Amino acid sequence: MSAGEGASTTAWARGLGLAAPVVCAPMGGVAGGALAAAVSLAGGLGMIGMGSAGSVPALERELAARETALAHAGTDPAASPFGIGLVAWGIARDPALLERALAAGPTLVSVSFGEWGAPDPGAAWIPAVHGIGALAVTQAATVAEARAAADAGVDAVVARGREGGGHGDHREPRDALLAEVRAAVGIPVLAAGAVAGAADLARVLDAGAAAAWVGTAFAACTEALTPAAAREVLFASRGEETLVSRVYDVALGRPWPARFPERLIRTPFVDRWHGREDALAADEAARAEFRAAAAAGDYRVVPVDAGTGVDALTEERSAAEVLAALTGR
């Protein structure tokens, strides 16, 4: 199957009315309403991401941005599919965030980064999503997580390879995990991790993925929330310069569970403290330095999330251009 043929459709994508089997990953601080609208208008599934900084006001703002972008394009928001991505511990902290997400009427809701191995996996969100007629999806880093999620009733699972950018349980390479998860569950499986071009998309579709869950390739889009200075870092970086670390979370005191570090582009600050997170947590001066850099948008200090496919980012493009490149059209 050629890249163009492989990306034309899958049964899962057809069921959602998508022209391309591509979902824009719900990257917090990157995938806002404008990007969600642009990806969906181009034939993929756009998503609004609510990460560690997610809140009802933030979601309201991005939902409004989506509607504005679609209205500008002459498209009825109700006719354009989209998704909302949340983190499990975030909605446990603020249940109103899930309630507002459901009220928005998304096509798909993903809730990830929970504890599927626990006696109670906290899967009450699944029937709530089904109650509005939406698909319930979660990311999994292991076969055991995928099985538990499938048993709990999700409609599809994302096999998240260790190559992916941002937060995750970085364990197995994408292709191996995709094969293992497909063999273990009887529901559609999406592939995530370094899907950066048409050859990558064709590869995962040939391996049986229902779609690709793509993050970094969309991170520098015209419509993304990514600051200009962070885009320049992405354009100048290579996959081998990424590192899986908890330094960012510890420096800012973000409440991400320790088992979900993030793949990011290393900086001297990250190199200095990686592997010494306990010392960083106790060093108020170092954390104050980092907070000041974050407030100033100084990406010489503050790392940018990116997967190993960041090599493919060389210039700012629209979401439609990125999707065309992925599908080989």
Side-chain angles (χ1 to χ4, degrees), residues 12 16-27 30-49 59 62-63 66 70 77 80-85 105-110 190 212-214 218 221 223 319-320 323:
W12 187 83
L16 292 180
L18 308 181
V22 174
V23 177
C24 178
M27 301 166 282
V30 174
L35 182 59
V39 172
S40 293
L41 286 170
L45 184 70
M47 293 192 71
I48 295 173
L59 180 55
E62 297 310 328
L63 288 168
R66 173 181 172 269
L70 291 172
S80 182
F82 79 108
I84 297 175
T107 310
L108 180 155
V109 175
S110 72
L190 285 65
W213 183 271
V214 181
F218 286 110
C221 282
E223 303 90 349
L323 197 60

mmCIF file of all heavy atoms in Angstrom, residues 12 16-27 30-49 59 62-63 66 70 77 80-85 105-110 190 212-214 218 221 223 319-320 323:
data_model
loop_
_atom_site.group_PDB
_atom_site.id
_atom_site.type_symbol
_atom_site.label_atom_id
_atom_site.label_comp_id
_atom_site.label_asym_id
_atom_site.label_seq_id
_atom_site.Cartn_x
_atom_site.Cartn_y
_atom_site.Cartn_z
ATOM 1 N N TRP A 12 -12.427 2.876 10.564
ATOM 2 C CA TRP A 12 -12.628 3.706 11.754
ATOM 3 C C TRP A 12 -12.762 5.177 11.362
ATOM 4 O O TRP A 12 -13.647 5.882 11.853
ATOM 5 C CB TRP A 12 -11.454 3.519 12.701
ATOM 6 C CG TRP A 12 -11.619 4.182 14.030
ATOM 7 C CD1 TRP A 12 -12.285 3.692 15.118
ATOM 8 C CD2 TRP A 12 -11.105 5.457 14.436
ATOM 9 N NE1 TRP A 12 -12.219 4.585 16.174
ATOM 10 C CE2 TRP A 12 -11.500 5.675 15.774
ATOM 11 C CE3 TRP A 12 -10.343 6.433 13.785
ATOM 12 C CZ2 TRP A 12 -11.164 6.824 16.489
ATOM 13 C CZ3 TRP A 12 -10.008 7.595 14.486
ATOM 14 C CH2 TRP A 12 -10.420 7.780 15.821
ATOM 15 N N LEU A 16 -16.191 8.065 11.428
ATOM 16 C CA LEU A 16 -16.230 9.406 12.015
ATOM 17 C C LEU A 16 -16.406 10.492 10.968
ATOM 18 O O LEU A 16 -16.410 11.679 11.298
ATOM 19 C CB LEU A 16 -14.937 9.663 12.797
ATOM 20 C CG LEU A 16 -14.732 8.830 14.061
ATOM 21 C CD1 LEU A 16 -13.407 9.197 14.731
ATOM 22 C CD2 LEU A 16 -15.879 9.040 15.040
ATOM 23 N N GLY A 17 -16.498 10.087 9.702
ATOM 24 C CA GLY A 17 -16.649 11.065 8.637
ATOM 25 C C GLY A 17 -15.361 11.768 8.274
ATOM 26 O O GLY A 17 -15.387 12.879 7.732
ATOM 27 N N LEU A 18 -14.226 11.124 8.548
ATOM 28 C CA LEU A 18 -12.930 11.741 8.273
ATOM 29 C C LEU A 18 -12.438 11.360 6.884
ATOM 30 O O LEU A 18 -12.605 10.230 6.434
ATOM 31 C CB LEU A 18 -11.888 11.295 9.311
ATOM 32 C CG LEU A 18 -12.257 11.444 10.784
ATOM 33 C CD1 LEU A 18 -11.100 10.967 11.657
ATOM 34 C CD2 LEU A 18 -12.618 12.889 11.102
ATOM 35 N N ALA A 19 -11.787 12.304 6.229
ATOM 36 C CA ALA A 19 -11.172 12.024 4.935
ATOM 37 C C ALA A 19 -9.815 11.381 5.101
ATOM 38 O O ALA A 19 -9.311 10.739 4.180
ATOM 39 C CB ALA A 19 -11.040 13.318 4.127
ATOM 40 N N ALA A 20 -9.195 11.552 6.268
ATOM 41 C CA ALA A 20 -7.862 10.995 6.529
ATOM 42 C C ALA A 20 -7.834 10.372 7.916
ATOM 43 O O ALA A 20 -8.406 10.920 8.861
ATOM 44 C CB ALA A 20 -6.802 12.095 6.433
ATOM 45 N N PRO A 21 -7.159 9.236 8.066
ATOM 46 C CA PRO A 21 -7.097 8.560 9.366
ATOM 47 C C PRO A 21 -6.027 9.164 10.266
ATOM 48 O O PRO A 21 -5.050 8.515 10.631
ATOM 49 C CB PRO A 21 -6.779 7.109 8.974
ATOM 50 C CG PRO A 21 -5.949 7.252 7.741
ATOM 51 C CD PRO A 21 -6.502 8.446 7.003
ATOM 52 N N VAL A 22 -6.224 10.414 10.615
ATOM 53 C CA VAL A 22 -5.257 11.155 11.425
ATOM 54 C C VAL A 22 -6.000 11.913 12.511
ATOM 55 O O VAL A 22 -6.957 12.651 12.229
ATOM 56 C CB VAL A 22 -4.438 12.152 10.575
ATOM 57 C CG1 VAL A 22 -3.544 13.019 11.465
ATOM 58 C CG2 VAL A 22 -3.598 11.416 9.535
ATOM 59 N N VAL A 23 -5.556 11.728 13.747
ATOM 60 C CA VAL A 23 -6.080 12.482 14.888
ATOM 61 C C VAL A 23 -4.958 13.374 15.397
ATOM 62 O O VAL A 23 -3.843 12.904 15.626
ATOM 63 C CB VAL A 23 -6.541 11.534 16.016
ATOM 64 C CG1 VAL A 23 -7.015 12.327 17.230
ATOM 65 C CG2 VAL A 23 -7.644 10.600 15.520
ATOM 66 N N CYS A 24 -5.236 14.651 15.559
ATOM 67 C CA CYS A 24 -4.254 15.556 16.162
ATOM 68 C C CYS A 24 -4.277 15.332 17.668
ATOM 69 O O CYS A 24 -5.293 15.549 18.319
ATOM 70 C CB CYS A 24 -4.575 17.004 15.831
ATOM 71 S SG CYS A 24 -3.433 18.194 16.579
ATOM 72 N N ALA A 25 -3.169 14.880 18.219
ATOM 73 C CA ALA A 25 -3.107 14.592 19.652
ATOM 74 C C ALA A 25 -3.477 15.826 20.474
ATOM 75 O O ALA A 25 -3.114 16.953 20.104
ATOM 76 C CB ALA A 25 -1.703 14.118 20.026
ATOM 77 N N PRO A 26 -4.180 15.639 21.587
ATOM 78 C CA PRO A 26 -4.632 16.773 22.398
ATOM 79 C C PRO A 26 -3.525 17.314 23.301
ATOM 80 O O PRO A 26 -3.554 17.165 24.523
ATOM 81 C CB PRO A 26 -5.783 16.168 23.209
ATOM 82 C CG PRO A 26 -5.384 14.733 23.379
ATOM 83 C CD PRO A 26 -4.692 14.348 22.094
ATOM 84 N N MET A 27 -2.563 17.983 22.692
ATOM 85 C CA MET A 27 -1.402 18.499 23.414
ATOM 86 C C MET A 27 -1.785 19.751 24.207
ATOM 87 O O MET A 27 -2.190 20.758 23.629
ATOM 88 C CB MET A 27 -0.285 18.842 22.420
ATOM 89 C CG MET A 27 0.177 17.673 21.581
ATOM 90 S SD MET A 27 1.185 18.204 20.158
ATOM 91 C CE MET A 27 -0.102 18.775 19.018
ATOM 92 N N VAL A 30 -0.892 23.544 23.282
ATOM 93 C CA VAL A 30 -0.574 23.532 21.844
ATOM 94 C C VAL A 30 -1.837 23.345 21.015
ATOM 95 O O VAL A 30 -2.119 24.106 20.090
ATOM 96 C CB VAL A 30 0.435 22.404 21.512
ATOM 97 C CG1 VAL A 30 0.642 22.292 19.996
ATOM 98 C CG2 VAL A 30 1.759 22.645 22.212
ATOM 99 N N ALA A 31 -2.608 22.313 21.348
ATOM 100 C CA ALA A 31 -3.802 21.971 20.584
ATOM 101 C C ALA A 31 -5.014 22.695 21.158
ATOM 102 O O ALA A 31 -5.725 22.171 22.016
ATOM 103 C CB ALA A 31 -4.020 20.460 20.592
ATOM 104 N N GLY A 32 -5.217 23.908 20.679
ATOM 105 C CA GLY A 32 -6.361 24.694 21.101
ATOM 106 C C GLY A 32 -7.481 24.630 20.077
ATOM 107 O O GLY A 32 -7.465 23.811 19.148
ATOM 108 N N GLY A 33 -8.444 25.516 20.226
ATOM 109 C CA GLY A 33 -9.610 25.494 19.356
ATOM 110 C C GLY A 33 -9.316 25.790 17.907
ATOM 111 O O GLY A 33 -9.915 25.189 17.001
ATOM 112 N N ALA A 34 -8.407 26.718 17.646
ATOM 113 C CA ALA A 34 -8.092 27.063 16.257
ATOM 114 C C ALA A 34 -7.444 25.885 15.533
ATOM 115 O O ALA A 34 -7.764 25.596 14.376
ATOM 116 C CB ALA A 34 -7.172 28.282 16.219
ATOM 117 N N LEU A 35 -6.515 25.182 16.214
ATOM 118 C CA LEU A 35 -5.883 24.022 15.592
ATOM 119 C C LEU A 35 -6.890 22.894 15.411
ATOM 120 O O LEU A 35 -6.899 22.219 14.373
ATOM 121 C CB LEU A 35 -4.696 23.557 16.430
ATOM 122 C CG LEU A 35 -3.903 22.372 15.873
ATOM 123 C CD1 LEU A 35 -3.340 22.681 14.499
ATOM 124 C CD2 LEU A 35 -2.777 21.976 16.836
ATOM 125 N N ALA A 36 -7.745 22.680 16.399
ATOM 126 C CA ALA A 36 -8.761 21.635 16.279
ATOM 127 C C ALA A 36 -9.644 21.890 15.067
ATOM 128 O O ALA A 36 -9.946 20.967 14.291
ATOM 129 C CB ALA A 36 -9.609 21.572 17.549
ATOM 130 N N ALA A 37 -10.055 23.122 14.885
ATOM 131 C CA ALA A 37 -10.901 23.464 13.739
ATOM 132 C C ALA A 37 -10.160 23.234 12.434
ATOM 133 O O ALA A 37 -10.711 22.660 11.483
ATOM 134 C CB ALA A 37 -11.352 24.925 13.841
ATOM 135 N N ALA A 38 -8.903 23.657 12.372
ATOM 136 C CA ALA A 38 -8.137 23.553 11.133
ATOM 137 C C ALA A 38 -7.893 22.106 10.729
ATOM 138 O O ALA A 38 -7.987 21.750 9.551
ATOM 139 C CB ALA A 38 -6.804 24.288 11.290
ATOM 140 N N VAL A 39 -7.573 21.250 11.698
ATOM 141 C CA VAL A 39 -7.336 19.834 11.386
ATOM 142 C C VAL A 39 -8.616 19.181 10.886
ATOM 143 O O VAL A 39 -8.607 18.433 9.900
ATOM 144 C CB VAL A 39 -6.775 19.092 12.614
ATOM 145 C CG1 VAL A 39 -6.702 17.593 12.354
ATOM 146 C CG2 VAL A 39 -5.393 19.627 12.975
ATOM 147 N N SER A 40 -9.727 19.458 11.552
ATOM 148 C CA SER A 40 -10.992 18.868 11.119
ATOM 149 C C SER A 40 -11.417 19.375 9.749
ATOM 150 O O SER A 40 -11.907 18.604 8.915
ATOM 151 C CB SER A 40 -12.084 19.147 12.151
ATOM 152 O OG SER A 40 -11.818 18.467 13.370
ATOM 153 N N LEU A 41 -11.215 20.661 9.484
ATOM 154 C CA LEU A 41 -11.557 21.201 8.173
ATOM 155 C C LEU A 41 -10.722 20.561 7.068
ATOM 156 O O LEU A 41 -11.181 20.413 5.931
ATOM 157 C CB LEU A 41 -11.350 22.718 8.165
ATOM 158 C CG LEU A 41 -12.397 23.549 8.908
ATOM 159 C CD1 LEU A 41 -11.938 24.998 9.024
ATOM 160 C CD2 LEU A 41 -13.750 23.470 8.200
ATOM 161 N N ALA A 42 -9.505 20.144 7.421
ATOM 162 C CA ALA A 42 -8.615 19.528 6.436
ATOM 163 C C ALA A 42 -8.874 18.036 6.270
ATOM 164 O O ALA A 42 -8.238 17.396 5.424
ATOM 165 C CB ALA A 42 -7.166 19.765 6.834
ATOM 166 N N GLY A 43 -9.768 17.473 7.059
ATOM 167 C CA GLY A 43 -10.138 16.077 6.877
ATOM 168 C C GLY A 43 -9.716 15.129 7.960
ATOM 169 O O GLY A 43 -10.060 13.945 7.924
ATOM 170 N N GLY A 44 -8.944 15.607 8.938
ATOM 171 C CA GLY A 44 -8.579 14.780 10.072
ATOM 172 C C GLY A 44 -9.510 15.047 11.239
ATOM 173 O O GLY A 44 -10.556 15.675 11.080
ATOM 174 N N LEU A 45 -9.120 14.565 12.422
ATOM 175 C CA LEU A 45 -9.905 14.851 13.617
ATOM 176 C C LEU A 45 -9.097 15.786 14.506
ATOM 177 O O LEU A 45 -8.066 15.395 15.064
ATOM 178 C CB LEU A 45 -10.248 13.581 14.392
ATOM 179 C CG LEU A 45 -11.146 13.824 15.611
ATOM 180 C CD1 LEU A 45 -12.556 14.215 15.159
ATOM 181 C CD2 LEU A 45 -11.220 12.612 16.521
ATOM 182 N N GLY A 46 -9.540 17.023 14.624
ATOM 183 C CA GLY A 46 -8.892 17.976 15.507
ATOM 184 C C GLY A 46 -9.338 17.773 16.935
ATOM 185 O O GLY A 46 -10.483 17.384 17.185
ATOM 186 N N MET A 47 -8.422 18.025 17.873
ATOM 187 C CA MET A 47 -8.747 17.872 19.281
ATOM 188 C C MET A 47 -8.283 19.078 20.074
ATOM 189 O O MET A 47 -7.265 19.708 19.744
ATOM 190 C CB MET A 47 -8.110 16.603 19.862
ATOM 191 C CG MET A 47 -8.685 15.323 19.298
ATOM 192 S SD MET A 47 -8.166 13.856 20.230
ATOM 193 C CE MET A 47 -9.078 14.060 21.759
ATOM 194 N N ILE A 48 -9.016 19.399 21.104
ATOM 195 C CA ILE A 48 -8.627 20.407 22.080
ATOM 196 C C ILE A 48 -8.036 19.684 23.279
ATOM 197 O O ILE A 48 -8.661 18.769 23.828
ATOM 198 C CB ILE A 48 -9.837 21.254 22.522
ATOM 199 C CG1 ILE A 48 -10.377 22.072 21.337
ATOM 200 C CG2 ILE A 48 -9.467 22.177 23.681
ATOM 201 C CD1 ILE A 48 -11.673 22.805 21.636
ATOM 202 N N GLY A 49 -6.823 20.065 23.664
ATOM 203 C CA GLY A 49 -6.156 19.394 24.768
ATOM 204 C C GLY A 49 -6.182 20.193 26.054
ATOM 205 O O GLY A 49 -5.850 21.376 26.063
ATOM 206 N N LEU A 59 -11.000 25.694 28.832
ATOM 207 C CA LEU A 59 -11.753 24.941 27.836
ATOM 208 C C LEU A 59 -12.796 25.822 27.161
ATOM 209 O O LEU A 59 -12.982 25.758 25.941
ATOM 210 C CB LEU A 59 -12.413 23.726 28.497
ATOM 211 C CG LEU A 59 -13.242 22.827 27.578
ATOM 212 C CD1 LEU A 59 -12.421 22.346 26.387
ATOM 213 C CD2 LEU A 59 -13.798 21.640 28.355
ATOM 214 N N GLU A 62 -11.082 27.862 24.481
ATOM 215 C CA GLU A 62 -10.695 27.140 23.267
ATOM 216 C C GLU A 62 -11.907 26.651 22.477
ATOM 217 O O GLU A 62 -11.851 26.579 21.244
ATOM 218 C CB GLU A 62 -9.757 25.993 23.621
ATOM 219 C CG GLU A 62 -8.446 26.452 24.246
ATOM 220 C CD GLU A 62 -7.748 27.542 23.445
ATOM 221 O OE1 GLU A 62 -7.868 27.553 22.190
ATOM 222 O OE2 GLU A 62 -7.086 28.394 24.054
ATOM 223 N N LEU A 63 -12.987 26.338 23.153
ATOM 224 C CA LEU A 63 -14.216 25.996 22.436
ATOM 225 C C LEU A 63 -14.712 27.200 21.640
ATOM 226 O O LEU A 63 -15.154 27.064 20.487
ATOM 227 C CB LEU A 63 -15.294 25.536 23.418
ATOM 228 C CG LEU A 63 -15.073 24.156 24.046
ATOM 229 C CD1 LEU A 63 -16.047 23.949 25.207
ATOM 230 C CD2 LEU A 63 -15.235 23.049 23.004
ATOM 231 N N ARG A 66 -12.540 27.633 18.586
ATOM 232 C CA ARG A 66 -12.917 26.675 17.539
ATOM 233 C C ARG A 66 -14.124 27.175 16.766
ATOM 234 O O ARG A 66 -14.149 27.148 15.526
ATOM 235 C CB ARG A 66 -13.208 25.306 18.167
ATOM 236 C CG ARG A 66 -13.779 24.295 17.191
ATOM 237 C CD ARG A 66 -14.092 22.954 17.847
ATOM 238 N NE ARG A 66 -14.797 22.093 16.910
ATOM 239 C CZ ARG A 66 -16.119 22.033 16.782
ATOM 240 N NH1 ARG A 66 -16.892 22.781 17.589
ATOM 241 N NH2 ARG A 66 -16.670 21.244 15.881
ATOM 242 N N LEU A 70 -14.285 28.103 12.753
ATOM 243 C CA LEU A 70 -15.199 27.428 11.840
ATOM 244 C C LEU A 70 -16.172 28.406 11.201
ATOM 245 O O LEU A 70 -16.492 28.288 10.002
ATOM 246 C CB LEU A 70 -15.964 26.337 12.591
ATOM 247 C CG LEU A 70 -15.123 25.132 13.030
ATOM 248 C CD1 LEU A 70 -15.938 24.209 13.932
ATOM 249 C CD2 LEU A 70 -14.613 24.357 11.818
ATOM 250 N N PRO A 77 -20.276 24.644 13.271
ATOM 251 C CA PRO A 77 -19.527 23.866 14.263
ATOM 252 C C PRO A 77 -20.153 22.506 14.555
ATOM 253 O O PRO A 77 -19.441 21.531 14.805
ATOM 254 C CB PRO A 77 -19.545 24.766 15.502
ATOM 255 C CG PRO A 77 -19.655 26.147 14.947
ATOM 256 C CD PRO A 77 -20.545 26.014 13.743
ATOM 257 N N SER A 80 -18.904 19.746 12.170
ATOM 258 C CA SER A 80 -17.471 19.457 12.089
ATOM 259 C C SER A 80 -17.049 18.583 13.262
ATOM 260 O O SER A 80 -17.158 18.991 14.426
ATOM 261 C CB SER A 80 -16.665 20.763 12.109
ATOM 262 O OG SER A 80 -15.280 20.517 11.982
ATOM 263 N N PRO A 81 -16.565 17.374 13.011
ATOM 264 C CA PRO A 81 -16.179 16.497 14.110
ATOM 265 C C PRO A 81 -14.974 17.045 14.864
ATOM 266 O O PRO A 81 -14.108 17.706 14.283
ATOM 267 C CB PRO A 81 -15.838 15.176 13.409
ATOM 268 C CG PRO A 81 -15.421 15.584 12.027
ATOM 269 C CD PRO A 81 -16.284 16.761 11.694
ATOM 270 N N PHE A 82 -14.917 16.772 16.160
ATOM 271 C CA PHE A 82 -13.753 17.180 16.952
ATOM 272 C C PHE A 82 -13.711 16.364 18.227
ATOM 273 O O PHE A 82 -14.680 15.688 18.596
ATOM 274 C CB PHE A 82 -13.800 18.678 17.279
ATOM 275 C CG PHE A 82 -14.731 19.062 18.410
ATOM 276 C CD1 PHE A 82 -14.219 19.454 19.640
ATOM 277 C CD2 PHE A 82 -16.112 19.045 18.240
ATOM 278 C CE1 PHE A 82 -15.064 19.818 20.681
ATOM 279 C CE2 PHE A 82 -16.968 19.417 19.271
ATOM 280 C CZ PHE A 82 -16.435 19.801 20.497
ATOM 281 N N GLY A 83 -12.577 16.430 18.882
ATOM 282 C CA GLY A 83 -12.429 15.712 20.134
ATOM 283 C C GLY A 83 -11.892 16.615 21.228
ATOM 284 O O GLY A 83 -11.402 17.722 20.967
ATOM 285 N N ILE A 84 -11.978 16.139 22.448
ATOM 286 C CA ILE A 84 -11.413 16.832 23.606
ATOM 287 C C ILE A 84 -10.594 15.808 24.386
ATOM 288 O O ILE A 84 -11.061 14.700 24.652
ATOM 289 C CB ILE A 84 -12.510 17.436 24.509
ATOM 290 C CG1 ILE A 84 -13.303 18.502 23.743
ATOM 291 C CG2 ILE A 84 -11.892 18.041 25.775
ATOM 292 C CD1 ILE A 84 -14.480 19.075 24.518
ATOM 293 N N GLY A 85 -9.372 16.193 24.730
ATOM 294 C CA GLY A 85 -8.488 15.303 25.469
ATOM 295 C C GLY A 85 -8.242 15.813 26.878
ATOM 296 O O GLY A 85 -7.895 16.982 27.073
ATOM 297 N N GLY A 105 -20.435 18.595 23.342
ATOM 298 C CA GLY A 105 -20.863 17.703 22.280
ATOM 299 C C GLY A 105 -19.762 17.218 21.357
ATOM 300 O O GLY A 105 -19.956 17.174 20.138
ATOM 301 N N PRO A 106 -18.605 16.820 21.884
ATOM 302 C CA PRO A 106 -17.527 16.346 21.012
ATOM 303 C C PRO A 106 -17.857 14.992 20.389
ATOM 304 O O PRO A 106 -18.707 14.240 20.885
ATOM 305 C CB PRO A 106 -16.334 16.226 21.967
ATOM 306 C CG PRO A 106 -16.970 15.934 23.300
ATOM 307 C CD PRO A 106 -18.238 16.741 23.307
ATOM 308 N N THR A 107 -17.155 14.698 19.322
ATOM 309 C CA THR A 107 -17.282 13.408 18.659
ATOM 310 C C THR A 107 -16.552 12.324 19.436
ATOM 311 O O THR A 107 -16.966 11.159 19.443
ATOM 312 C CB THR A 107 -16.680 13.497 17.241
ATOM 313 O OG1 THR A 107 -17.211 14.648 16.572
ATOM 314 C CG2 THR A 107 -16.950 12.249 16.433
ATOM 315 N N LEU A 108 -15.468 12.721 20.071
ATOM 316 C CA LEU A 108 -14.579 11.785 20.777
ATOM 317 C C LEU A 108 -14.041 12.470 22.027
ATOM 318 O O LEU A 108 -13.722 13.667 21.990
ATOM 319 C CB LEU A 108 -13.439 11.383 19.836
ATOM 320 C CG LEU A 108 -12.353 10.424 20.298
ATOM 321 C CD1 LEU A 108 -11.746 9.707 19.073
ATOM 322 C CD2 LEU A 108 -11.236 11.150 21.041
ATOM 323 N N VAL A 109 -13.935 11.716 23.090
ATOM 324 C CA VAL A 109 -13.307 12.212 24.319
ATOM 325 C C VAL A 109 -12.225 11.214 24.720
ATOM 326 O O VAL A 109 -12.479 10.013 24.823
ATOM 327 C CB VAL A 109 -14.318 12.360 25.472
ATOM 328 C CG1 VAL A 109 -13.608 12.758 26.770
ATOM 329 C CG2 VAL A 109 -15.382 13.392 25.119
ATOM 330 N N SER A 110 -11.025 11.739 24.910
ATOM 331 C CA SER A 110 -9.958 10.876 25.423
ATOM 332 C C SER A 110 -9.626 11.293 26.845
ATOM 333 O O SER A 110 -9.541 12.488 27.144
ATOM 334 C CB SER A 110 -8.701 10.957 24.542
ATOM 335 O OG SER A 110 -8.036 12.190 24.711
ATOM 336 N N LEU A 190 -5.181 2.874 17.666
ATOM 337 C CA LEU A 190 -4.499 3.976 16.991
ATOM 338 C C LEU A 190 -3.029 3.927 17.367
ATOM 339 O O LEU A 190 -2.668 3.428 18.439
ATOM 340 C CB LEU A 190 -5.110 5.320 17.391
ATOM 341 C CG LEU A 190 -6.471 5.685 16.771
ATOM 342 C CD1 LEU A 190 -7.581 4.756 17.223
ATOM 343 C CD2 LEU A 190 -6.837 7.139 17.115
ATOM 344 N N ALA A 212 -3.628 7.261 12.948
ATOM 345 C CA ALA A 212 -2.444 7.726 13.670
ATOM 346 C C ALA A 212 -2.844 8.866 14.589
ATOM 347 O O ALA A 212 -3.668 9.708 14.239
ATOM 348 C CB ALA A 212 -1.365 8.186 12.696
ATOM 349 N N TRP A 213 -2.236 8.872 15.756
ATOM 350 C CA TRP A 213 -2.464 9.893 16.793
ATOM 351 C C TRP A 213 -1.199 10.749 16.752
ATOM 352 O O TRP A 213 -0.149 10.345 17.221
ATOM 353 C CB TRP A 213 -2.631 9.169 18.107
ATOM 354 C CG TRP A 213 -2.937 9.927 19.353
ATOM 355 C CD1 TRP A 213 -2.037 10.477 20.223
ATOM 356 C CD2 TRP A 213 -4.235 10.131 19.937
ATOM 357 N NE1 TRP A 213 -2.680 11.000 21.303
ATOM 358 C CE2 TRP A 213 -4.033 10.812 21.153
ATOM 359 C CE3 TRP A 213 -5.530 9.800 19.539
ATOM 360 C CZ2 TRP A 213 -5.093 11.162 21.980
ATOM 361 C CZ3 TRP A 213 -6.577 10.155 20.364
ATOM 362 C CH2 TRP A 213 -6.362 10.840 21.571
ATOM 363 N N VAL A 214 -1.289 11.923 16.144
ATOM 364 C CA VAL A 214 -0.109 12.700 15.758
ATOM 365 C C VAL A 214 0.008 13.976 16.586
ATOM 366 O O VAL A 214 -0.930 14.782 16.617
ATOM 367 C CB VAL A 214 -0.169 13.051 14.256
ATOM 368 C CG1 VAL A 214 1.064 13.842 13.830
ATOM 369 C CG2 VAL A 214 -0.301 11.776 13.415
ATOM 370 N N PHE A 218 2.157 18.496 14.339
ATOM 371 C CA PHE A 218 1.224 19.629 14.342
ATOM 372 C C PHE A 218 1.644 20.742 15.307
ATOM 373 O O PHE A 218 0.993 21.787 15.368
ATOM 374 C CB PHE A 218 -0.179 19.158 14.733
ATOM 375 C CG PHE A 218 -0.906 18.377 13.667
ATOM 376 C CD1 PHE A 218 -1.128 17.018 13.820
ATOM 377 C CD2 PHE A 218 -1.371 18.995 12.526
ATOM 378 C CE1 PHE A 218 -1.805 16.285 12.849
ATOM 379 C CE2 PHE A 218 -2.055 18.282 11.544
ATOM 380 C CZ PHE A 218 -2.267 16.917 11.705
ATOM 381 N N CYS A 221 2.268 24.304 13.849
ATOM 382 C CA CYS A 221 1.320 24.782 12.848
ATOM 383 C C CYS A 221 0.963 26.246 13.089
ATOM 384 O O CYS A 221 0.963 26.737 14.225
ATOM 385 C CB CYS A 221 0.039 23.944 12.880
ATOM 386 S SG CYS A 221 0.188 22.363 12.074
ATOM 387 N N GLU A 223 -1.822 27.470 13.251
ATOM 388 C CA GLU A 223 -2.987 27.580 14.127
ATOM 389 C C GLU A 223 -2.731 27.101 15.554
ATOM 390 O O GLU A 223 -3.627 27.193 16.404
ATOM 391 C CB GLU A 223 -4.146 26.762 13.534
ATOM 392 C CG GLU A 223 -4.538 27.167 12.128
ATOM 393 C CD GLU A 223 -3.782 26.397 11.038
ATOM 394 O OE1 GLU A 223 -2.798 25.686 11.386
ATOM 395 O OE2 GLU A 223 -4.177 26.498 9.865
ATOM 396 N N ALA A 319 -2.163 23.606 9.306
ATOM 397 C CA ALA A 319 -2.590 22.243 9.611
ATOM 398 C C ALA A 319 -2.968 21.503 8.339
ATOM 399 O O ALA A 319 -2.705 20.300 8.211
ATOM 400 C CB ALA A 319 -3.770 22.276 10.582
ATOM 401 N N ALA A 320 -3.563 22.197 7.394
ATOM 402 C CA ALA A 320 -3.934 21.563 6.132
ATOM 403 C C ALA A 320 -2.691 21.092 5.381
ATOM 404 O O ALA A 320 -2.686 20.007 4.788
ATOM 405 C CB ALA A 320 -4.740 22.531 5.270
ATOM 406 N N LEU A 323 -1.331 17.984 7.183
ATOM 407 C CA LEU A 323 -2.155 16.821 6.903
ATOM 408 C C LEU A 323 -1.932 16.321 5.473
ATOM 409 O O LEU A 323 -1.877 15.102 5.226
ATOM 410 C CB LEU A 323 -3.631 17.139 7.140
ATOM 411 C CG LEU A 323 -4.574 15.949 7.282
ATOM 412 C CD1 LEU A 323 -4.156 15.074 8.460
ATOM 413 C CD2 LEU A 323 -6.003 16.411 7.466
#
